[in-house]
Amino acid sequence: MADGSEENAKSEKLVTAIVIGAGNRGQTYASYALDLPDRLKIVGVADPRKFVRTHMQKVLDIPPENVFEDWRELLAQSKFANAAIIATPDRHHKEPAIACAAKGYHVLLEKPMAVTEEDCREIVRTCKENNVILAVCHVLRHFPPTKKIKELIMSGAIGEVVNIQHLEPVGFYHFAHSYVRGNWRKEDDSTFSLLAKCCHDVDLIHWWMGENKCQQVSSFGSLQHFRRENKPAGAGSRCTDCSIETSCPYSAKKLYLGNVLMGNVGWPVSIITDVPTPESVKEALETGPYGRCVYESDNDVCDNQVVNMFFEGGRTASLTMVAFTEKLCERQVRIFGTKGELTYSGGSSIHLFDFTTRLTKEIYPWSIAPMRTRLTGHGCADFFLMHNFVEAVANDDPSMILTGPDDTLESHLITFAAERARKQNRVVSMEPPMDW
């Protein structure tokens, strides 16, 4: 009884955190403090944009003296929190992550970890040297269906895994928003689309394969459609001044102005203007990048890509990322084992076909749901990610992190290898051992 009481007392510790990057993802993770204020308190924020940092300060009651324009100013202060939530743009992950770890902050780091192999390795090394917890936001490991798939594999329900087929349907308007007009449209400004969008998915395949290491990778992909030569005759440079806008599936007026006129002011409308109104959205479309014709943007990242992976023991896997889908990020997977097959195509259930009984079982992974939460993204996986991180910090227990430093680095290295394979038109061998 004494042991149990001590454990419960320990787990009730209030965790304090600073937020570096108060945009969409930073706000999402920080809102865990609104759901469970006795478990997490946000005590500082840094963001160069006055509106978002001021908004976070007000919503989370952050002391004015702990609100900064530059994260370097925040970290120049004496350490005043247990953890740091880092949700800066992809190319700006490394410096604050290393600085926070060196200062002794436990780190929750938005994915991808960084945009080069070297930077990823340095982040991991620094966190280990300073003995701080590192959790990378591969939230899909916390998504109930994908987590249940892992449990079924580990239980031997389908025998030995032989092959995995995985599809990431990005969604036609999501891709246009984020990867043609948005922040991830140019590799030099952000990173390549496979890393930005699908390091999640490579990580899932790596996770489901368990102890079997990836040995070789090949990949093909291109920017197939969103190019100037595919611009329809008569199309304008902006959707607000285009004679064929009503017949274009990628119309910014339909996506943004149509949403705000119906009262939908969340994503993606909230990304293009601080205070979404019909007037502010119209102005953003007339002057900003989100109103540009998708065939005249400065985008250069792949809109479709396939990756083939060869794992130890002859196991294989394939990943397809494609922009041109009705579904928006509703991953589909088929896993073929020596004793059965698992299929998940979105929705509420996983299909398990047993070769011995020749029966199909429907498995419902949603039986364990979180409390009512603001963190509903990725099927409430955002909530589970934050819950695990807060508990890990409260208990000083890195084992509670599903996406820790070594495992996450390994899946990132596979993603980098896939892009090398695509660009160099060759099969890339993963160099053993993965010594970082």
Side-chain angles (χ1 to χ4, degrees):
M1 180 63 118
D3 290 342
S5 300
E6 290 172 7
E7 182 178 334
N8 290 336
K10 187 177 182 182
S11 69
E12 290 172 3
K13 174 185 173 183
L14 175 67
V15 171
T16 55
I18 56 174
V19 176
I20 297 176
N24 180 266
R25 296 309 290 167
Q27 292 177 44
T28 295
Y29 299 133
S31 66
Y32 182 92
L34 298 174
D35 284 350
L36 292 169
D38 58 331
R39 305 297 298 114
L40 177 68
K41 183 172 179 58
I42 305 299
V43 295
V45 60
D47 194 292
R49 298 162 296 176
K50 182 178 180 180
F51 178 86
V52 294
R53 68 174 183 267
T54 302
H55 176 73
M56 183 171 285
Q57 176 196 357
K58 291 178 179 177
V59 170
L60 294 165
D61 194 25
I62 300 170
E65 62 270 21
N66 291 345
V67 179
F68 299 90
E69 182 176 349
D70 192 319
W71 61 265
R72 295 169 185 83
E73 297 174 358
L74 188 157
L75 292 183
Q77 314 301 311
S78 298
K79 180 172 177 280
F80 61 95
N82 306 119
I85 297 169
I86 300 175
T88 52
D90 297 345
R91 284 194 168 268
H92 303 286
H93 284 182
K94 175 195 170 182
E95 285 190 56
I98 288 174
C100 285
K103 195 102 178 181
Y105 287 97
H106 299 295
V107 176
L108 180 81
L109 180 60
E110 177 60 308
K111 62 87 185 167
M113 189 187 303
V115 298
T116 69
E117 293 185 28
E118 295 75 15
D119 288 354
C120 289
R121 293 176 189 273
E122 189 172 349
I123 290 170
V124 169
R125 184 167 57 250
T126 305
C127 287
K128 287 186 167 186
E129 288 173 351
N130 289 276
N131 197 32
V132 299
I133 292 170
L134 171 64
V136 178
C137 298
H138 279 160
V139 297
L140 293 182
R141 287 203 185 194
H142 300 264
F143 181 48
T146 53
K147 192 174 180 182
K148 175 58 72 173
I149 288 170
K150 174 68 172 178
E151 293 171 5
L152 291 167
I153 291 170
M154 295 294 291
S155 74
I158 59 169
E160 295 292 323
V161 172
V162 175
N163 176 265
I164 297 174
Q165 296 178 0
H166 187 81
L167 169 67
E168 159 60 317
V170 181
F172 71 100
Y173 69 85
H174 180 196
F175 195 92
H177 166 74
S178 295
Y179 300 94
V180 179
R181 296 174 170 128
N183 294 335
W184 294 272
R185 67 185 184 271
K186 293 186 69 176
E187 184 173 345
D188 285 347
D189 291 345
S190 178
T191 187
F192 53 98
S193 55
L194 186 72
L195 183 67
K197 190 72 188 79
C198 287
C199 63
H200 272 322
D201 304 279
V202 174
D203 181 71
L204 282 180
I205 293 170
H206 162 70
W207 188 43
W208 287 328
M209 283 292 187
E211 297 300 316
N212 303 294
K213 304 297 184 183
C214 183
Q215 296 181 322
Q216 291 181 301
V217 185
S218 67
S219 182
F220 300 93
S222 66
L223 174 54
Q224 176 69 22
H225 182 66
F226 298 107
R227 307 162 63 97
R228 289 179 182 271
E229 57 264 38
N230 291 326
K231 182 177 179 179
S237 294
R238 286 190 174 271
C239 296
T240 51
D241 185 24
C242 178
S243 62
I244 65 166
E245 172 269 326
T246 56
S247 63
C248 178
Y250 306 104
S251 164
K253 289 178 67 175
K254 291 176 187 174
L255 178 56
Y256 305 109
L257 195 55
N259 264 300
V260 79
L261 289 174
M262 291 188 294
N264 301 328
V265 295
W267 185 94
V269 177
S270 60
I271 301 299
I272 75 170
T273 179
D274 289 335
V275 183
T277 64
E279 293 75 22
S280 67
V281 169
K282 186 172 184 293
E283 181 182 359
L285 298 187
E286 290 173 342
T287 61
Y290 292 95
R292 289 190 292 191
C293 174
V294 292
Y295 304 103
E296 281 198 10
S297 188
D298 55 351
N299 58 300
D300 61 13
V301 297
C302 290
D303 57 23
N304 74 104
Q305 190 164 350
V306 294
V307 181
N308 294 311
M309 290 159 270
F310 182 80
F311 288 80
E312 288 176 341
R315 296 164 177 82
T316 55
S318 60
L319 162 65
T320 298
M321 175 194 76
V322 61
F324 310 101
T325 63
E326 174 188 1
K327 299 291 186 182
L328 192 154
C329 302
E330 291 186 26
R331 272 81 173 178
Q332 300 172 29
V333 61
R334 298 183 73 181
I335 302 180
F336 306 94
T338 55
K339 295 181 180 179
E341 177 183 339
L342 288 171
T343 305
Y344 180 70
S345 302
S348 60
S349 67
I350 299 165
H351 302 266
L352 169 60
F353 180 77
D354 188 300
F355 295 165
T356 302
T357 64
R358 299 189 179 183
L359 297 175
T360 300
K361 184 185 295 184
E362 297 290 325
I363 298 167
Y364 296 89
W366 299 96
S367 57
I368 302 175
M371 51 166 278
R372 183 182 294 274
T373 177
R374 296 167 176 81
L375 284 79
T376 56
H378 300 96
C380 291
D382 291 351
F383 173 87
F384 292 119
L385 168 79
M386 278 303 299
H387 189 70
N388 278 19
F389 178 70
V390 170
E391 289 301 306
V393 172
N395 292 304
D396 193 23
D397 184 2
S399 70
M400 300 181 73
I401 300 297
L402 288 185
T403 53
D406 291 342
D407 212 23
T408 303
L409 178 56
E410 191 164 346
S411 66
H412 272 58
L413 294 180
I414 297 170
T415 311
F416 288 119
E419 187 66 358
R420 268 201 314 281
R422 183 187 75 85
K423 288 185 172 180
Q424 297 172 6
N425 192 28
R426 68 184 181 93
V427 176
V428 171
S429 294
M430 306 298 295
E431 297 179 4
M434 287 189 182
D435 181 13
W436 45 80

